[in-house]
Amino acid sequence: MNLKFNKSLKTLTSQFLLSDPSAVSLLREITALEKAKFATQNNLAHIEFISMLHSGKFKRKCQYVMQTSNSNYLFSRSESPSTTPPTNVLNISG
């Protein structure tokens, strides 16, 4: 998409939300549901990761990819002794 189209879309969306309070409520509700869904997916990925650690599956591979309905999780073993992830790695709690 081009920049002009994106700006027009943002302007129209803002105008629509300002003109319709029920749309704002609906957008908040959808956002809350999406956040809850994403949190559940992250929790399942965390459980799978812990399972991999306990089963030893992670020791045999340098990388492991897990796919959910709309996300890919890449687990990678690092040889670095650092406890903090590299700057290019998404770090989330849980």
Side-chain angles (χ1 to χ4, degrees):
M1 286 192 254
N2 64 34
L3 187 60
K4 187 175 180 180
F5 177 78
N6 283 341
K7 188 174 181 180
S8 296
L9 183 61
K10 286 180 183 180
T11 302
L12 287 173
T13 303
S14 296
Q15 288 174 352
F16 172 71
L17 292 174
L18 287 172
S19 69
D20 190 354
S22 65
V24 175
S25 293
L26 184 59
L27 182 60
R28 284 187 181 132
E29 187 177 331
I30 291 169
T31 301
L33 290 171
E34 287 294 316
K35 284 181 178 181
K37 179 181 170 185
F38 189 64
T40 299
Q41 287 178 343
N42 280 343
N43 189 43
L44 292 174
H46 177 256
I47 291 169
E48 176 71 17
F49 178 72
I50 297 300
S51 174
M52 287 184 335
L53 289 176
H54 289 295
S55 71
K57 184 187 292 186
F58 197 55
K59 290 180 183 179
R60 292 188 294 269
K61 292 184 174 184
C62 289
Q63 290 186 348
Y64 182 80
V65 177
M66 186 178 78
Q67 297 176 333
T68 62
S69 59
N70 60 357
S71 298
N72 291 326
Y73 295 86
L74 172 66
F75 301 100
S76 180
R77 229 181 19 194
S78 173
E79 300 302 323
S80 169
S82 174
T83 58
T84 58
T87 57
N88 63 340
V89 173
L90 176 64
N91 184 17
I92 57 171
S93 61

Coordinates of all heavy atoms in Angstrom, one line a residue:
M1 N 0.8 -1.2 0.0 CA 0.0 0.0 0.0 C 0.9 1.2 0.0 O 1.9 1.3 0.6 CB -0.9 0.0 1.2 CG -2.0 -1.0 1.2 SD -3.2 -0.7 2.5 CE -2.8 -2.0 3.6
N2 N 0.4 2.3 -0.7 CA 1.2 3.5 -0.7 C 0.9 4.4 0.5 O -0.1 4.2 1.2 CB 1.1 4.2 -2.0 CG -0.3 4.7 -2.3 OD1 -1.0 5.1 -1.3 ND2 -0.8 4.7 -3.5
L3 N 1.8 5.3 0.7 CA 1.7 6.2 1.9 C 0.5 7.0 1.9 O -0.2 7.2 2.9 CB 3.0 7.1 1.9 CG 3.2 8.0 3.1 CD1 3.3 7.1 4.4 CD2 4.4 8.8 3.0
K4 N 0.1 7.5 0.7 CA -1.1 8.4 0.6 C -2.4 7.6 1.0 O -3.2 8.1 1.7 CB -1.2 8.9 -0.9 CG -2.3 9.9 -1.0 CD -2.3 10.5 -2.4 CE -3.4 11.6 -2.6 NZ -3.4 12.1 -3.9
F5 N -2.5 6.3 0.5 CA -3.6 5.5 0.8 C -3.7 5.2 2.3 O -4.7 5.3 2.9 CB -3.5 4.2 0.0 CG -4.6 3.2 0.4 CD1 -5.9 3.4 -0.1 CD2 -4.4 2.2 1.2 CE1 -6.9 2.5 0.2 CE2 -5.4 1.3 1.6 CZ -6.7 1.5 1.0
N6 N -2.5 4.9 2.9 CA -2.5 4.7 4.4 C -2.9 5.9 5.2 O -3.6 5.7 6.2 CB -1.0 4.3 4.8 CG -0.7 2.9 4.5 OD1 -1.6 2.0 4.2 ND2 0.6 2.5 4.4
K7 N -2.5 7.1 4.8 CA -2.9 8.3 5.5 C -4.4 8.5 5.3 O -5.1 8.9 6.3 CB -2.1 9.5 4.9 CG -2.3 10.7 5.7 CD -1.4 11.9 5.2 CE -1.7 13.1 6.0 NZ -0.8 14.2 5.5
S8 N -4.9 8.3 4.1 CA -6.4 8.4 3.9 C -7.2 7.4 4.8 O -8.2 7.8 5.3 CB -6.7 8.2 2.4 OG -6.1 9.2 1.7
L9 N -6.7 6.2 4.8 CA -7.3 5.2 5.6 C -7.3 5.5 7.1 O -8.4 5.4 7.7 CB -6.6 3.8 5.4 CG -7.3 2.6 6.1 CD1 -8.7 2.4 5.6 CD2 -6.4 1.4 5.8
K10 N -6.2 6.0 7.6 CA -6.1 6.4 9.0 C -7.1 7.6 9.3 O -7.8 7.6 10.3 CB -4.7 6.8 9.4 CG -3.8 5.7 9.5 CD -2.4 6.1 9.9 CE -1.4 5.0 9.9 NZ -0.1 5.4 10.3
T11 N -7.1 8.6 8.4 CA -8.0 9.7 8.5 C -9.5 9.3 8.5 O -10.3 9.7 9.4 CB -7.8 10.7 7.4 OG1 -6.4 11.1 7.4 CG2 -8.7 12.0 7.5
L12 N -9.9 8.4 7.6 CA -11.3 8.0 7.5 C -11.6 7.1 8.7 O -12.7 7.2 9.3 CB -11.5 7.1 6.2 CG -11.5 7.9 4.9 CD1 -11.6 7.0 3.7 CD2 -12.7 8.9 4.9
T13 N -10.7 6.3 9.2 CA -11.0 5.5 10.4 C -11.1 6.4 11.6 O -12.1 6.1 12.4 CB -9.8 4.5 10.6 OG1 -9.7 3.7 9.4 CG2 -10.1 3.6 11.8
S14 N -10.3 7.4 11.8 CA -10.4 8.3 12.9 C -11.7 9.0 12.8 O -12.4 9.2 13.9 CB -9.3 9.3 12.9 OG -8.1 8.6 13.1
Q15 N -12.1 9.5 11.7 CA -13.4 10.2 11.5 C -14.6 9.3 11.9 O -15.5 9.7 12.5 CB -13.5 10.8 10.1 CG -12.6 11.9 9.8 CD -12.6 12.4 8.4 OE1 -13.3 11.7 7.5 NE2 -12.0 13.5 8.1
F16 N -14.5 8.1 11.4 CA -15.6 7.1 11.7 C -15.7 6.9 13.2 O -16.8 6.9 13.7 CB -15.3 5.8 10.9 CG -16.3 4.7 11.3 CD1 -17.6 4.8 10.9 CD2 -15.9 3.6 12.0 CE1 -18.5 3.8 11.2 CE2 -16.7 2.6 12.4 CZ -18.1 2.7 12.0
L17 N -14.6 6.6 13.8 CA -14.6 6.4 15.3 C -15.1 7.6 16.1 O -15.8 7.4 17.1 CB -13.2 5.9 15.7 CG -12.8 4.5 15.2 CD1 -11.4 4.2 15.6 CD2 -13.7 3.4 15.7
L18 N -14.7 8.8 15.6 CA -15.2 10.0 16.3 C -16.7 10.2 16.1 O -17.4 10.7 17.0 CB -14.5 11.2 15.8 CG -13.0 11.3 16.3 CD1 -12.3 12.5 15.5 CD2 -13.0 11.6 17.8
S19 N -17.2 9.7 15.0 CA -18.7 9.9 14.7 C -19.6 8.8 15.3 O -20.8 9.0 15.3 CB -18.9 10.0 13.2 OG -18.7 8.8 12.6
D20 N -19.0 7.7 15.7 CA -19.8 6.6 16.1 C -19.3 6.0 17.4 O -18.4 5.1 17.3 CB -19.9 5.5 15.0 CG -20.9 4.5 15.3 OD1 -21.5 4.4 16.4 OD2 -21.2 3.6 14.4
P21 N -19.8 6.4 18.6 CA -19.3 5.9 19.8 C -19.4 4.3 20.0 O -18.6 3.7 20.6 CB -20.1 6.6 20.9 CG -20.6 7.8 20.2 CD -20.8 7.4 18.8
S22 N -20.5 3.8 19.4 CA -20.7 2.3 19.4 C -19.5 1.6 18.7 O -19.2 0.5 19.1 CB -22.0 1.9 18.9 OG -22.1 2.2 17.5
A23 N -19.0 2.2 17.7 CA -17.9 1.6 16.9 C -16.6 1.5 17.8 O -15.9 0.6 17.8 CB -17.6 2.4 15.6
V24 N -16.5 2.6 18.6 CA -15.3 2.6 19.6 C -15.5 1.5 20.6 O -14.5 0.8 20.8 CB -15.2 4.0 20.3 CG1 -14.1 4.0 21.3 CG2 -15.0 5.1 19.3
S25 N -16.7 1.3 21.1 CA -16.9 0.2 22.1 C -16.6 -1.2 21.4 O -16.0 -2.0 22.0 CB -18.3 0.2 22.6 OG -18.5 1.4 23.3
L26 N -17.1 -1.3 20.2 CA -16.9 -2.6 19.5 C -15.4 -2.8 19.2 O -14.9 -3.9 19.4 CB -17.7 -2.6 18.2 CG -17.7 -3.9 17.3 CD1 -18.2 -5.0 18.1 CD2 -18.5 -3.7 16.1
L27 N -14.7 -1.8 18.8 CA -13.3 -1.9 18.5 C -12.5 -2.3 19.8 O -11.6 -3.1 19.8 CB -12.7 -0.6 18.0 CG -11.3 -0.6 17.6 CD1 -11.0 -1.7 16.5 CD2 -10.8 0.8 17.1
R28 N -12.9 -1.7 20.9 CA -12.3 -2.1 22.2 C -12.5 -3.5 22.6 O -11.7 -4.2 23.1 CB -12.8 -1.1 23.3 CG -12.2 0.2 23.3 CD -12.6 1.0 24.5 NE -12.0 2.4 24.4 CZ -12.6 3.5 24.6 NH1 -13.9 3.5 25.0 NH2 -12.0 4.6 24.5
E29 N -13.8 -4.0 22.3 CA -14.1 -5.4 22.6 C -13.3 -6.3 21.7 O -12.8 -7.3 22.2 CB -15.6 -5.5 22.4 CG -16.2 -6.9 22.8 CD -17.7 -7.0 22.7 OE1 -18.4 -5.9 22.7 OE2 -18.1 -8.1 22.4
I30 N -13.2 -6.0 20.5 CA -12.5 -6.8 19.5 C -11.0 -6.9 19.9 O -10.4 -7.9 19.9 CB -12.6 -6.3 18.1 CG1 -14.1 -6.6 17.6 CG2 -11.6 -7.0 17.1 CD1 -14.4 -5.9 16.3
T31 N -10.5 -5.7 20.3 CA -9.1 -5.6 20.7 C -8.8 -6.5 21.9 O -7.8 -7.2 22.0 CB -8.7 -4.2 21.0 OG1 -8.9 -3.4 19.8 CG2 -7.2 -4.0 21.4
A32 N -9.7 -6.4 22.9 CA -9.6 -7.2 24.1 C -9.6 -8.7 23.8 O -8.8 -9.5 24.3 CB -10.7 -6.9 25.1
L33 N -10.5 -9.1 22.9 CA -10.6 -10.5 22.5 C -9.3 -11.0 21.8 O -8.8 -12.1 22.0 CB -11.8 -10.8 21.6 CG -13.2 -10.7 22.3 CD1 -14.3 -10.7 21.2 CD2 -13.3 -11.8 23.3
E34 N -8.8 -10.1 20.9 CA -7.6 -10.5 20.2 C -6.4 -10.6 21.1 O -5.5 -11.5 21.0 CB -7.3 -9.4 19.1 CG -8.2 -9.5 17.9 CD -8.0 -10.8 17.1 OE1 -6.9 -11.2 16.9 OE2 -9.0 -11.4 16.8
K35 N -6.3 -9.7 22.1 CA -5.2 -9.8 23.1 C -5.3 -11.0 23.9 O -4.3 -11.7 24.2 CB -5.3 -8.5 24.1 CG -4.8 -7.3 23.4 CD -4.8 -6.1 24.5 CE -4.2 -4.9 23.9 NZ -4.3 -3.8 24.8
A36 N -6.5 -11.4 24.3 CA -6.7 -12.7 25.1 C -6.3 -13.9 24.2 O -5.7 -14.8 24.7 CB -8.2 -12.8 25.5
K37 N -6.7 -13.9 22.9 CA -6.3 -15.0 22.0 C -4.8 -15.1 21.9 O -4.2 -16.2 22.0 CB -7.0 -14.7 20.7 CG -6.7 -15.8 19.7 CD -7.4 -15.4 18.3 CE -6.9 -16.3 17.2 NZ -7.5 -15.9 15.9
F38 N -4.2 -13.9 21.7 CA -2.7 -13.9 21.6 C -2.0 -14.4 22.9 O -1.1 -15.2 22.8 CB -2.2 -12.5 21.2 CG -0.8 -12.5 20.8 CD1 -0.3 -13.1 19.7 CD2 0.1 -11.7 21.6 CE1 1.0 -13.1 19.4 CE2 1.4 -11.7 21.3 CZ 1.9 -12.3 20.1
A39 N -2.6 -14.0 24.0 CA -2.0 -14.4 25.3 C -2.1 -15.9 25.5 O -1.2 -16.6 25.9 CB -2.7 -13.7 26.5
T40 N -3.3 -16.5 25.0 CA -3.5 -17.9 25.1 C -2.5 -18.7 24.2 O -1.9 -19.7 24.6 CB -4.9 -18.3 24.7 OG1 -5.8 -17.7 25.6 CG2 -5.2 -19.8 24.7
Q41 N -2.3 -18.2 23.0 CA -1.3 -18.8 22.0 C 0.1 -18.7 22.6 O 0.8 -19.7 22.5 CB -1.3 -18.1 20.7 CG -2.6 -18.4 19.9 CD -2.6 -17.6 18.6 OE1 -1.9 -16.6 18.4 NE2 -3.4 -18.0 17.6
N42 N 0.4 -17.6 23.2 CA 1.8 -17.5 23.8 C 1.9 -18.5 25.0 O 3.0 -19.1 25.2 CB 2.0 -16.1 24.3 CG 2.4 -15.1 23.2 OD1 2.8 -15.6 22.1 ND2 2.3 -13.9 23.5
N43 N 0.9 -18.6 25.8 CA 0.9 -19.6 26.9 C 1.1 -21.0 26.4 O 1.9 -21.8 26.9 CB -0.4 -19.5 27.7 CG -0.2 -20.3 29.0 OD1 0.8 -20.3 29.7 ND2 -1.3 -21.0 29.3
L44 N 0.4 -21.4 25.3 CA 0.5 -22.7 24.7 C 2.0 -22.9 24.1 O 2.5 -24.0 24.3 CB -0.5 -22.9 23.6 CG -1.9 -23.0 24.1 CD1 -2.9 -23.1 22.9 CD2 -2.1 -24.2 25.0
A45 N 2.5 -21.9 23.5 CA 3.9 -21.9 23.0 C 4.9 -22.1 24.2 O 5.8 -22.9 24.1 CB 4.3 -20.7 22.2
H46 N 4.6 -21.5 25.3 CA 5.4 -21.6 26.5 C 5.4 -23.0 27.0 O 6.4 -23.6 27.4 CB 5.0 -20.6 27.6 CG 5.7 -20.7 28.8 ND1 5.2 -21.3 30.0 CD2 7.0 -20.3 29.2 CE1 6.0 -21.2 30.9 NE2 7.1 -20.7 30.5
I47 N 4.2 -23.6 27.1 CA 4.0 -24.9 27.6 C 4.8 -25.9 26.7 O 5.4 -26.8 27.1 CB 2.5 -25.3 27.7 CG1 1.9 -24.5 28.8 CG2 2.3 -26.8 27.9 CD1 0.4 -24.6 28.9
E48 N 4.6 -25.7 25.3 CA 5.3 -26.6 24.4 C 6.9 -26.5 24.6 O 7.6 -27.5 24.5 CB 4.9 -26.2 23.0 CG 5.7 -27.0 21.9 CD 5.3 -28.4 21.8 OE1 4.2 -28.8 22.3 OE2 6.0 -29.2 21.2
F49 N 7.3 -25.3 24.8 CA 8.8 -25.1 25.0 C 9.3 -25.8 26.2 O 10.3 -26.5 26.2 CB 9.1 -23.6 25.1 CG 10.5 -23.2 25.3 CD1 11.4 -23.4 24.3 CD2 10.9 -22.8 26.6 CE1 12.8 -23.1 24.6 CE2 12.2 -22.5 26.8 CZ 13.2 -22.6 25.8
I50 N 8.5 -25.7 27.3 CA 8.9 -26.3 28.5 C 8.9 -27.9 28.3 O 9.8 -28.6 28.8 CB 8.0 -25.9 29.7 CG1 8.1 -24.4 30.0 CG2 8.2 -26.8 31.0 CD1 9.5 -24.0 30.4
S51 N 7.9 -28.3 27.6 CA 7.8 -29.8 27.3 C 9.0 -30.2 26.5 O 9.6 -31.3 26.7 CB 6.5 -30.0 26.5 OG 6.5 -31.4 26.1
M52 N 9.5 -29.4 25.5 CA 10.6 -29.7 24.7 C 11.9 -29.8 25.6 O 12.7 -30.7 25.4 CB 10.9 -28.7 23.6 CG 9.9 -28.7 22.5 SD 10.2 -27.6 21.1 CE 11.1 -26.2 21.9
L53 N 12.0 -28.9 26.6 CA 13.1 -28.9 27.5 C 13.2 -30.2 28.3 O 14.2 -30.8 28.5 CB 13.1 -27.7 28.4 CG 13.5 -26.4 27.7 CD1 13.3 -25.2 28.7 CD2 14.9 -26.4 27.2
H54 N 12.0 -30.6 28.8 CA 11.9 -31.7 29.7 C 12.1 -33.0 28.9 O 12.7 -34.0 29.5 CB 10.6 -31.8 30.4 CG 10.4 -30.7 31.5 ND1 11.2 -30.7 32.6 CD2 9.6 -29.7 31.6 CE1 10.9 -29.7 33.4 NE2 9.9 -29.0 32.8
S55 N 11.6 -33.1 27.7 CA 11.8 -34.3 26.9 C 13.1 -34.5 26.3 O 13.4 -35.6 25.8 CB 10.7 -34.3 25.8 OG 11.0 -33.4 24.8
G56 N 13.9 -33.4 26.3 CA 15.2 -33.5 25.6 C 15.2 -33.2 24.2 O 16.2 -33.2 23.5
K57 N 14.0 -33.0 23.6 CA 13.9 -32.7 22.2 C 14.7 -31.5 21.7 O 15.3 -31.4 20.7 CB 12.4 -32.5 21.8 CG 12.2 -32.3 20.3 CD 10.7 -31.9 20.0 CE 9.8 -33.0 20.3 NZ 8.4 -32.7 19.9
F58 N 14.8 -30.5 22.6 CA 15.5 -29.3 22.3 C 17.0 -29.5 22.2 O 17.7 -28.8 21.5 CB 15.1 -28.2 23.3 CG 15.4 -26.8 22.9 CD1 14.9 -26.3 21.7 CD2 16.2 -26.0 23.7 CE1 15.2 -25.0 21.3 CE2 16.4 -24.7 23.3 CZ 15.9 -24.2 22.1
K59 N 17.5 -30.4 23.0 CA 18.9 -30.7 23.0 C 19.4 -31.3 21.7 O 20.6 -31.1 21.3 CB 19.3 -31.7 24.2 CG 19.1 -31.0 25.5 CD 19.4 -32.0 26.6 CE 19.2 -31.4 28.0 NZ 19.5 -32.3 29.0
R60 N 18.6 -32.0 21.0 CA 19.0 -32.6 19.7 C 19.0 -31.6 18.6 O 19.5 -31.9 17.5 CB 18.1 -33.8 19.5 CG 18.3 -34.9 20.4 CD 17.5 -36.2 20.0 NE 16.1 -36.0 20.1 CZ 15.3 -36.3 21.1 NH1 15.8 -36.7 22.2 NH2 14.0 -36.2 21.0
K61 N 18.3 -30.5 18.7 CA 18.2 -29.6 17.6 C 18.7 -28.2 18.0 O 18.6 -27.8 19.2 CB 16.7 -29.4 17.2 CG 16.1 -30.6 16.5 CD 14.7 -30.2 16.1 CE 14.1 -31.3 15.3 NZ 12.7 -31.0 14.8
C62 N 19.2 -27.5 17.1 CA 19.7 -26.1 17.4 C 18.5 -25.1 17.3 O 18.4 -24.1 17.9 CB 20.7 -25.6 16.4 SG 22.3 -26.5 16.7
Q63 N 17.5 -25.5 16.4 CA 16.3 -24.7 16.3 C 15.1 -25.6 16.2 O 15.1 -26.7 15.7 CB 16.4 -23.8 15.0 CG 17.4 -22.7 15.0 CD 17.3 -21.8 13.8 OE1 16.7 -22.2 12.8 NE2 18.0 -20.7 13.9
Y64 N 14.0 -25.0 16.7 CA 12.7 -25.7 16.6 C 11.6 -24.7 16.3 O 11.6 -23.6 16.9 CB 12.4 -26.4 17.9 CG 11.1 -27.2 17.9 CD1 11.1 -28.5 17.4 CD2 10.0 -26.7 18.5 CE1 9.9 -29.2 17.4 CE2 8.8 -27.4 18.5 CZ 8.8 -28.7 17.9 OH 7.6 -29.4 17.9
V65 N 10.8 -25.0 15.3 CA 9.7 -24.1 14.9 C 8.4 -24.7 15.3 O 8.1 -25.9 15.0 CB 9.8 -23.8 13.4 CG1 8.6 -22.9 13.0 CG2 11.1 -23.2 13.0
M66 N 7.6 -23.9 15.9 CA 6.2 -24.3 16.2 C 5.2 -23.4 15.5 O 5.4 -22.1 15.6 CB 6.0 -24.3 17.7 CG 4.6 -24.9 18.1 SD 4.4 -25.0 19.9 CE 4.0 -23.3 20.2
Q67 N 4.2 -23.9 14.9 CA 3.3 -23.1 14.2 C 1.9 -23.2 14.8 O 1.5 -24.2 15.2 CB 3.2 -23.5 12.7 CG 4.5 -23.3 11.9 CD 4.4 -23.8 10.5 OE1 3.6 -24.7 10.2 NE2 5.2 -23.2 9.7
T68 N 1.3 -22.0 15.0 CA -0.1 -22.0 15.5 C -0.9 -21.4 14.3 O -0.4 -21.3 13.2 CB -0.3 -21.1 16.7 OG1 0.1 -19.7 16.3 CG2 0.6 -21.6 17.9
S69 N -2.2 -21.2 14.5 CA -3.1 -20.7 13.4 C -2.6 -19.5 12.7 O -2.7 -19.4 11.5 CB -4.5 -20.5 13.9 OG -4.5 -19.5 14.9
N70 N -2.0 -18.5 13.4 CA -1.5 -17.3 12.7 C -0.1 -16.8 13.2 O 0.2 -15.7 13.0 CB -2.5 -16.2 12.8 CG -2.8 -15.8 14.3 OD1 -2.3 -16.4 15.2 ND2 -3.7 -14.9 14.5
S71 N 0.6 -17.7 13.9 CA 1.9 -17.3 14.4 C 2.9 -18.4 14.2 O 2.6 -19.6 14.2 CB 1.8 -16.9 15.9 OG 1.0 -15.8 16.1
N72 N 4.2 -18.0 14.1 CA 5.3 -19.0 14.1 C 6.2 -18.6 15.2 O 6.5 -17.5 15.4 CB 6.1 -18.9 12.8 CG 5.3 -19.4 11.6 OD1 4.5 -20.3 11.7 ND2 5.5 -18.8 10.4
Y73 N 6.5 -19.6 16.0 CA 7.5 -19.5 17.1 C 8.7 -20.2 16.8 O 8.7 -21.4 16.4 CB 6.9 -20.0 18.4 CG 5.6 -19.3 18.9 CD1 4.4 -19.6 18.4 CD2 5.7 -18.2 19.8 CE1 3.2 -19.0 18.8 CE2 4.6 -17.5 20.2 CZ 3.4 -17.9 19.7 OH 2.2 -17.2 20.1
L74 N 9.8 -19.5 16.8 CA 11.1 -20.1 16.6 C 11.9 -20.1 17.9 O 12.2 -19.1 18.5 CB 11.9 -19.3 15.6 CG 13.4 -19.7 15.3 CD1 13.5 -21.1 14.7 CD2 14.1 -18.7 14.5
F75 N 12.3 -21.4 18.3 CA 13.1 -21.5 19.5 C 14.5 -21.9 19.0 O 14.7 -22.7 18.2 CB 12.5 -22.7 20.4 CG 11.1 -22.4 20.8 CD1 10.1 -23.1 20.2 CD2 10.9 -21.6 21.9 CE1 8.8 -22.8 20.6 CE2 9.6 -21.4 22.4 CZ 8.5 -22.0 21.7
S76 N 15.4 -21.2 19.6 CA 16.8 -21.4 19.1 C 17.7 -21.5 20.3 O 17.6 -20.7 21.2 CB 17.2 -20.2 18.2 OG 18.5 -20.3 17.8
R77 N 18.6 -22.4 20.2 CA 19.6 -22.6 21.3 C 20.8 -21.7 21.1 O 21.3 -21.6 19.9 CB 20.1 -24.1 21.3 CG 20.0 -24.7 22.6 CD 20.5 -26.1 22.7 NE 21.3 -26.4 21.5 CZ 21.7 -27.7 21.2 NH1 21.2 -28.6 21.9 NH2 22.4 -27.9 20.1
S78 N 21.2 -21.0 22.1 CA 22.3 -20.1 22.0 C 23.5 -20.7 22.7 O 23.3 -21.2 23.8 CB 22.0 -18.7 22.5 OG 23.1 -17.9 22.6
E79 N 24.7 -20.5 22.1 CA 25.9 -21.0 22.8 C 26.4 -19.9 23.7 O 27.3 -20.1 24.5 CB 26.9 -21.4 21.8 CG 26.5 -22.5 20.8 CD 26.1 -23.8 21.6 OE1 26.8 -24.1 22.6 OE2 25.2 -24.4 21.1
S80 N 25.8 -18.7 23.7 CA 26.2 -17.6 24.5 C 25.9 -17.8 26.0 O 24.8 -18.2 26.3 CB 25.6 -16.3 24.0 OG 25.8 -15.2 24.9
P81 N 26.8 -17.5 26.9 CA 26.5 -17.6 28.3 C 25.5 -16.5 28.8 O 25.1 -16.5 29.9 CB 27.8 -17.5 29.0 CG 28.7 -16.8 28.0 CD 28.2 -17.1 26.6
S82 N 25.2 -15.5 28.0 CA 24.4 -14.4 28.4 C 23.0 -14.8 28.7 O 22.4 -15.6 28.0 CB 24.4 -13.3 27.3 OG 23.5 -12.3 27.7
T83 N 22.4 -14.2 29.8 CA 21.0 -14.6 30.1 C 20.0 -13.6 29.4 O 18.8 -13.8 29.5 CB 20.8 -14.5 31.6 OG1 21.1 -13.2 32.1 CG2 21.6 -15.5 32.4
T84 N 20.5 -12.6 28.8 CA 19.6 -11.7 28.1 C 19.6 -12.0 26.6 O 20.7 -12.4 26.0 CB 20.0 -10.2 28.2 OG1 21.4 -10.1 27.8 CG2 19.9 -9.8 29.7
P85 N 18.4 -12.0 25.9 CA 18.4 -12.3 24.5 C 19.1 -11.3 23.6 O 19.2 -10.1 24.1 CB 16.9 -12.4 24.2 CG 16.3 -11.6 25.2 CD 17.1 -11.6 26.4
P86 N 19.5 -11.7 22.4 CA 20.0 -10.7 21.5 C 19.0 -9.6 21.2 O 17.8 -9.8 21.4 CB 20.4 -11.5 20.3 CG 20.3 -12.9 20.7 CD 19.5 -13.0 21.9
T87 N 19.5 -8.4 20.7 CA 18.5 -7.3 20.5 C 17.5 -7.6 19.4 O 16.5 -7.0 19.4 CB 19.3 -6.1 20.1 OG1 20.2 -6.3 19.0 CG2 20.2 -5.6 21.3
N88 N 17.8 -8.5 18.5 CA 16.9 -8.8 17.4 C 15.8 -9.9 17.8 O 15.1 -10.4 16.9 CB 17.6 -9.3 16.2 CG 18.4 -10.5 16.3 OD1 18.7 -10.9 17.5 ND2 18.7 -11.2 15.3
V89 N 15.8 -10.3 19.1 CA 14.8 -11.3 19.5 C 13.7 -10.7 20.3 O 14.0 -9.9 21.2 CB 15.6 -12.4 20.4 CG1 14.6 -13.4 21.0 CG2 16.6 -13.1 19.5
L90 N 12.5 -11.1 20.0 CA 11.3 -10.6 20.7 C 11.4 -11.3 22.1 O 11.4 -12.5 22.2 CB 10.0 -10.9 20.0 CG 8.7 -10.6 20.7 CD1 8.6 -9.1 20.9 CD2 7.6 -11.1 20.0
N91 N 11.3 -10.5 23.1 CA 11.4 -11.0 24.5 C 10.1 -10.7 25.2 O 9.8 -9.5 25.4 CB 12.6 -10.4 25.2 CG 12.8 -10.9 26.6 OD1 12.2 -12.0 26.9 ND2 13.5 -10.2 27.5
I92 N 9.3 -11.7 25.5 CA 8.0 -11.5 26.2 C 8.0 -12.2 27.5 O 8.7 -13.3 27.7 CB 6.8 -11.9 25.4 CG1 7.0 -13.4 25.0 CG2 6.7 -11.1 24.1 CD1 5.8 -14.0 24.3
S93 N 7.3 -11.7 28.5 CA 7.3 -12.4 29.8 C 6.4 -13.6 29.6 O 5.5 -13.6 28.8 CB 6.7 -11.4 30.8 OG 5.4 -11.0 30.5
G94 N 6.6 -14.6 30.4 CA 5.8 -15.9 30.3 C 6.4 -16.7 29.2 O 6.0 -17.7 28.9

